[in-house]
Amino acid sequence: MTLTDESPAPPAPGGETTTRAGPLRGVRIVELAAIGPAPFAGMVLADLGADVLRVDRPGAPRAFAAWHRELDRGRRRVELDLKTPGGRARLLELAAGADVLVEGFRPGVMERLGAGPGECLRRNPALVYARMTGWGQDGPLAHSPGHDINYLALSGALHAIGPAEGPPLPPLNLLGDFAGGGMFLVAGVLAALLERTRTGLGQVVDAAIVDGTGALLGMLTAMAAAGQWRPERGANLLDGGAPFYRCYRCADGRYVAVGALEDRFYAALLDGLGLRPADLPDRDDTANWAMLAQKFADRFATRERDEWAARFARTDACVTPVLSVAEAAEHPHQRARNAGPGVPAPRLSRTPPGLHHPGSSFG
């Protein structure tokens, strides 16, 4: 067994309590190494002050280690061969001294290792046993492989994203892995920890990307039920169909984002574009959207992106430049708040989350 620090951090679960700052100070978490949403959840919990110990397989390089460098921050790591009796026994010891165990294997894997929720909760009834999968612990697809794009496809979310005349487009892996998956896992862990303060008992958290993504679709399905959302892509208020809620190409080939939903914001948009409301058709009639979009596109094409950004900077038009990740890091607002990738969120006034160094590659 090898223990390695990735950043200044407290001892492993079962030892002394953490000296980290943050609202989860003193919470001890064992995280089995995985990819995507599970390490993202571990990162958020570590940022909030939890003592997170990641269990890695010995010897073998971790899949996508370079991609996960940022997600791995704030951890301590231990190497355990869970295929050996000694490795499994040590994992059970760690779970017995932990508040939370996080695993992202396919259903049944932990049970076959002898470290499923039944065994762990028998040893530690207060343990929150958090499970992260794509399809969930049961159901016809529970044991099938998949990735973010597959979970979005079956949840109904992917169908709604993309251009009107093109195929659906995956929104990176933000919506499935991190929003529908990792953040719902974090919410489940925090809810279970809170409930434990009343009962003293842990429980199993079954977080599935397809479930979380489906939950995020609540407002869209309500709009559809009210007759305010059409199944066609690019024909609705929030999917790029509305001319006042979409992106436009500028003279330099870059883009601005327009979000002028409310009347006063729409008025400011027209004013900034130099258009008179009396010369334009009713924006509430979707039959006029194509013509309005063309007029707006023609105007935005006359200036470069940053010129439009400066023109709209002190207005209520809700027009912003579409920045690259590198540009966003240098934007005055981001710099003023020290915001962006690598900075914990949300911010808490009395017990702020800690800022930890990114994890290093291992193995």
Side-chain angles (χ1 to χ4, degrees), residues 321-347:
V322 176
L323 303 178
S324 68
V325 174
E327 288 177 314
E330 299 301 319
H331 190 274
H333 184 80
Q334 299 281 72
R335 291 177 66 86
R337 288 181 57 80
N338 187 30
V343 180
R347 305 176 187 216

mmCIF file of all heavy atoms in Angstrom, residues 321-347:
data_model
loop_
_atom_site.group_PDB
_atom_site.id
_atom_site.type_symbol
_atom_site.label_atom_id
_atom_site.label_comp_id
_atom_site.label_asym_id
_atom_site.label_seq_id
_atom_site.Cartn_x
_atom_site.Cartn_y
_atom_site.Cartn_z
ATOM 1 N N PRO A 321 -20.088 39.114 -25.533
ATOM 2 C CA PRO A 321 -19.235 38.406 -26.497
ATOM 3 C C PRO A 321 -19.149 36.931 -26.141
ATOM 4 O O PRO A 321 -19.161 36.549 -24.965
ATOM 5 C CB PRO A 321 -17.880 39.094 -26.336
ATOM 6 C CG PRO A 321 -17.881 39.608 -24.929
ATOM 7 C CD PRO A 321 -19.310 40.005 -24.650
ATOM 8 N N VAL A 322 -19.076 36.068 -27.145
ATOM 9 C CA VAL A 322 -18.847 34.642 -26.928
ATOM 10 C C VAL A 322 -17.333 34.446 -26.841
ATOM 11 O O VAL A 322 -16.632 34.555 -27.843
ATOM 12 C CB VAL A 322 -19.448 33.793 -28.058
ATOM 13 C CG1 VAL A 322 -19.123 32.322 -27.857
ATOM 14 C CG2 VAL A 322 -20.963 34.006 -28.130
ATOM 15 N N LEU A 323 -16.841 34.167 -25.645
ATOM 16 C CA LEU A 323 -15.410 34.085 -25.397
ATOM 17 C C LEU A 323 -14.918 32.647 -25.434
ATOM 18 O O LEU A 323 -15.646 31.723 -25.054
ATOM 19 C CB LEU A 323 -15.088 34.686 -24.027
ATOM 20 C CG LEU A 323 -15.519 36.134 -23.779
ATOM 21 C CD1 LEU A 323 -15.166 36.541 -22.344
ATOM 22 C CD2 LEU A 323 -14.883 37.084 -24.776
ATOM 23 N N SER A 324 -13.694 32.473 -25.860
ATOM 24 C CA SER A 324 -13.049 31.169 -25.715
ATOM 25 C C SER A 324 -12.720 30.966 -24.241
ATOM 26 O O SER A 324 -12.775 31.906 -23.435
ATOM 27 C CB SER A 324 -11.770 31.110 -26.552
ATOM 28 O OG SER A 324 -10.795 31.994 -26.011
ATOM 29 N N VAL A 325 -12.348 29.749 -23.865
ATOM 30 C CA VAL A 325 -11.981 29.486 -22.479
ATOM 31 C C VAL A 325 -10.804 30.363 -22.064
ATOM 32 O O VAL A 325 -10.792 30.927 -20.960
ATOM 33 C CB VAL A 325 -11.648 27.999 -22.291
ATOM 34 C CG1 VAL A 325 -11.124 27.738 -20.882
ATOM 35 C CG2 VAL A 325 -12.878 27.137 -22.554
ATOM 36 N N ALA A 326 -9.827 30.514 -22.956
ATOM 37 C CA ALA A 326 -8.664 31.336 -22.640
ATOM 38 C C ALA A 326 -9.051 32.801 -22.500
ATOM 39 O O ALA A 326 -8.569 33.501 -21.591
ATOM 40 C CB ALA A 326 -7.605 31.171 -23.724
ATOM 41 N N GLU A 327 -9.924 33.285 -23.369
ATOM 42 C CA GLU A 327 -10.368 34.674 -23.269
ATOM 43 C C GLU A 327 -11.167 34.909 -21.995
ATOM 44 O O GLU A 327 -11.040 35.950 -21.348
ATOM 45 C CB GLU A 327 -11.234 35.035 -24.478
ATOM 46 C CG GLU A 327 -10.482 35.187 -25.779
ATOM 47 C CD GLU A 327 -11.423 35.474 -26.941
ATOM 48 O OE1 GLU A 327 -12.462 34.793 -27.064
ATOM 49 O OE2 GLU A 327 -11.115 36.404 -27.716
ATOM 50 N N ALA A 328 -12.000 33.947 -21.632
ATOM 51 C CA ALA A 328 -12.832 34.100 -20.444
ATOM 52 C C ALA A 328 -11.980 34.281 -19.196
ATOM 53 O O ALA A 328 -12.332 35.054 -18.294
ATOM 54 C CB ALA A 328 -13.749 32.895 -20.287
ATOM 55 N N ALA A 329 -10.855 33.580 -19.131
ATOM 56 C CA ALA A 329 -9.987 33.683 -17.953
ATOM 57 C C ALA A 329 -9.417 35.080 -17.790
ATOM 58 O O ALA A 329 -9.062 35.484 -16.673
ATOM 59 C CB ALA A 329 -8.851 32.664 -18.060
ATOM 60 N N GLU A 330 -9.332 35.833 -18.882
ATOM 61 C CA GLU A 330 -8.768 37.180 -18.838
ATOM 62 C C GLU A 330 -9.832 38.268 -18.790
ATOM 63 O O GLU A 330 -9.491 39.452 -18.731
ATOM 64 C CB GLU A 330 -7.863 37.404 -20.054
ATOM 65 C CG GLU A 330 -6.685 36.447 -20.130
ATOM 66 C CD GLU A 330 -5.794 36.539 -18.891
ATOM 67 O OE1 GLU A 330 -5.565 37.678 -18.420
ATOM 68 O OE2 GLU A 330 -5.368 35.484 -18.390
ATOM 69 N N HIS A 331 -11.100 37.896 -18.799
ATOM 70 C CA HIS A 331 -12.150 38.913 -18.778
ATOM 71 C C HIS A 331 -12.134 39.652 -17.441
ATOM 72 O O HIS A 331 -11.935 39.042 -16.379
ATOM 73 C CB HIS A 331 -13.521 38.267 -19.000
ATOM 74 C CG HIS A 331 -14.608 39.257 -19.227
ATOM 75 N ND1 HIS A 331 -15.299 39.851 -18.191
ATOM 76 C CD2 HIS A 331 -15.121 39.768 -20.371
ATOM 77 C CE1 HIS A 331 -16.201 40.674 -18.689
ATOM 78 N NE2 HIS A 331 -16.113 40.646 -20.005
ATOM 79 N N PRO A 332 -12.325 40.978 -17.448
ATOM 80 C CA PRO A 332 -12.246 41.754 -16.208
ATOM 81 C C PRO A 332 -13.157 41.243 -15.094
ATOM 82 O O PRO A 332 -12.782 41.265 -13.920
ATOM 83 C CB PRO A 332 -12.646 43.170 -16.654
ATOM 84 C CG PRO A 332 -12.249 43.228 -18.088
ATOM 85 C CD PRO A 332 -12.500 41.850 -18.633
ATOM 86 N N HIS A 333 -14.359 40.789 -15.449
ATOM 87 C CA HIS A 333 -15.263 40.310 -14.407
ATOM 88 C C HIS A 333 -14.731 39.037 -13.770
ATOM 89 O O HIS A 333 -14.750 38.873 -12.534
ATOM 90 C CB HIS A 333 -16.660 40.053 -14.980
ATOM 91 C CG HIS A 333 -17.659 39.640 -13.944
ATOM 92 N ND1 HIS A 333 -18.286 40.550 -13.123
ATOM 93 C CD2 HIS A 333 -18.110 38.411 -13.573
ATOM 94 C CE1 HIS A 333 -19.095 39.910 -12.294
ATOM 95 N NE2 HIS A 333 -19.002 38.606 -12.547
ATOM 96 N N GLN A 334 -14.258 38.102 -14.594
ATOM 97 C CA GLN A 334 -13.698 36.869 -14.066
ATOM 98 C C GLN A 334 -12.472 37.145 -13.193
ATOM 99 O O GLN A 334 -12.295 36.536 -12.130
ATOM 100 C CB GLN A 334 -13.308 35.929 -15.211
ATOM 101 C CG GLN A 334 -14.458 35.501 -16.112
ATOM 102 C CD GLN A 334 -15.286 34.400 -15.484
ATOM 103 O OE1 GLN A 334 -16.022 34.629 -14.530
ATOM 104 N NE2 GLN A 334 -15.170 33.203 -16.026
ATOM 105 N N ARG A 335 -11.641 38.057 -13.659
ATOM 106 C CA ARG A 335 -10.428 38.373 -12.903
ATOM 107 C C ARG A 335 -10.769 39.059 -11.590
ATOM 108 O O ARG A 335 -10.136 38.805 -10.557
ATOM 109 C CB ARG A 335 -9.500 39.246 -13.741
ATOM 110 C CG ARG A 335 -8.880 38.502 -14.935
ATOM 111 C CD ARG A 335 -8.022 39.428 -15.787
ATOM 112 N NE ARG A 335 -6.859 39.892 -15.054
ATOM 113 C CZ ARG A 335 -5.705 39.243 -14.977
ATOM 114 N NH1 ARG A 335 -5.570 38.059 -15.577
ATOM 115 N NH2 ARG A 335 -4.691 39.740 -14.313
ATOM 116 N N ALA A 336 -11.762 39.934 -11.600
ATOM 117 C CA ALA A 336 -12.146 40.645 -10.379
ATOM 118 C C ALA A 336 -12.655 39.687 -9.309
ATOM 119 O O ALA A 336 -12.432 39.890 -8.111
ATOM 120 C CB ALA A 336 -13.206 41.693 -10.694
ATOM 121 N N ARG A 337 -13.339 38.611 -9.736
ATOM 122 C CA ARG A 337 -13.885 37.640 -8.791
ATOM 123 C C ARG A 337 -12.983 36.423 -8.617
ATOM 124 O O ARG A 337 -13.321 35.517 -7.864
ATOM 125 C CB ARG A 337 -15.273 37.182 -9.264
ATOM 126 C CG ARG A 337 -16.342 38.231 -9.101
ATOM 127 C CD ARG A 337 -17.700 37.720 -9.562
ATOM 128 N NE ARG A 337 -18.144 36.505 -8.897
ATOM 129 C CZ ARG A 337 -18.694 36.466 -7.683
ATOM 130 N NH1 ARG A 337 -18.864 37.595 -7.000
ATOM 131 N NH2 ARG A 337 -19.085 35.315 -7.152
ATOM 132 N N ASN A 338 -11.853 36.415 -9.322
ATOM 133 C CA ASN A 338 -10.981 35.236 -9.317
ATOM 134 C C ASN A 338 -11.815 34.001 -9.611
ATOM 135 O O ASN A 338 -11.777 32.998 -8.884
ATOM 136 C CB ASN A 338 -10.263 35.093 -7.980
ATOM 137 C CG ASN A 338 -9.226 33.974 -7.996
ATOM 138 O OD1 ASN A 338 -8.644 33.681 -9.036
ATOM 139 N ND2 ASN A 338 -9.022 33.334 -6.853
ATOM 140 N N ALA A 339 -12.585 34.058 -10.677
ATOM 141 C CA ALA A 339 -13.512 32.985 -11.027
ATOM 142 C C ALA A 339 -12.992 32.193 -12.213
ATOM 143 O O ALA A 339 -12.062 32.607 -12.903
ATOM 144 C CB ALA A 339 -14.884 33.568 -11.351
ATOM 145 N N GLY A 340 -13.634 31.059 -12.456
ATOM 146 C CA GLY A 340 -13.302 30.248 -13.613
ATOM 147 C C GLY A 340 -12.853 28.862 -13.212
ATOM 148 O O GLY A 340 -12.901 28.483 -12.034
ATOM 149 N N PRO A 341 -12.410 28.050 -14.171
ATOM 150 C CA PRO A 341 -11.964 26.690 -13.880
ATOM 151 C C PRO A 341 -10.878 26.678 -12.814
ATOM 152 O O PRO A 341 -9.961 27.487 -12.831
ATOM 153 C CB PRO A 341 -11.429 26.196 -15.228
ATOM 154 C CG PRO A 341 -12.151 27.016 -16.243
ATOM 155 C CD PRO A 341 -12.342 28.369 -15.605
ATOM 156 N N GLY A 342 -11.012 25.767 -11.878
ATOM 157 C CA GLY A 342 -10.027 25.657 -10.812
ATOM 158 C C GLY A 342 -10.377 26.408 -9.556
ATOM 159 O O GLY A 342 -9.720 26.248 -8.526
ATOM 160 N N VAL A 343 -11.412 27.236 -9.610
ATOM 161 C CA VAL A 343 -11.819 28.016 -8.442
ATOM 162 C C VAL A 343 -13.098 27.411 -7.870
ATOM 163 O O VAL A 343 -14.093 27.281 -8.586
ATOM 164 C CB VAL A 343 -12.048 29.491 -8.812
ATOM 165 C CG1 VAL A 343 -12.476 30.277 -7.582
ATOM 166 C CG2 VAL A 343 -10.772 30.085 -9.401
ATOM 167 N N PRO A 344 -13.106 27.044 -6.590
ATOM 168 C CA PRO A 344 -14.284 26.398 -6.012
ATOM 169 C C PRO A 344 -15.527 27.277 -6.062
ATOM 170 O O PRO A 344 -15.450 28.500 -5.994
ATOM 171 C CB PRO A 344 -13.869 26.135 -4.567
ATOM 172 C CG PRO A 344 -12.380 26.105 -4.585
ATOM 173 C CD PRO A 344 -11.986 27.097 -5.640
ATOM 174 N N ALA A 345 -16.662 26.645 -6.189
ATOM 175 C CA ALA A 345 -17.956 27.317 -6.145
ATOM 176 C C ALA A 345 -18.937 26.360 -5.463
ATOM 177 O O ALA A 345 -18.757 25.136 -5.531
ATOM 178 C CB ALA A 345 -18.434 27.648 -7.559
ATOM 179 N N PRO A 346 -19.967 26.884 -4.781
ATOM 180 C CA PRO A 346 -20.263 28.286 -4.550
ATOM 181 C C PRO A 346 -19.392 28.867 -3.440
ATOM 182 O O PRO A 346 -18.598 28.157 -2.815
ATOM 183 C CB PRO A 346 -21.739 28.248 -4.125
ATOM 184 C CG PRO A 346 -21.849 26.952 -3.394
ATOM 185 C CD PRO A 346 -20.972 25.996 -4.150
ATOM 186 N N ARG A 347 -19.584 30.157 -3.179
ATOM 187 C CA ARG A 347 -18.814 30.842 -2.150
ATOM 188 C C ARG A 347 -19.643 30.918 -0.871
ATOM 189 O O ARG A 347 -20.833 31.196 -0.929
ATOM 190 C CB ARG A 347 -18.438 32.238 -2.643
ATOM 191 C CG ARG A 347 -17.699 32.172 -3.964
ATOM 192 C CD ARG A 347 -17.390 33.522 -4.551
ATOM 193 N NE ARG A 347 -16.836 33.351 -5.890
ATOM 194 C CZ ARG A 347 -15.891 34.117 -6.413
ATOM 195 N NH1 ARG A 347 -15.406 35.121 -5.720
ATOM 196 N NH2 ARG A 347 -15.444 33.877 -7.622
#
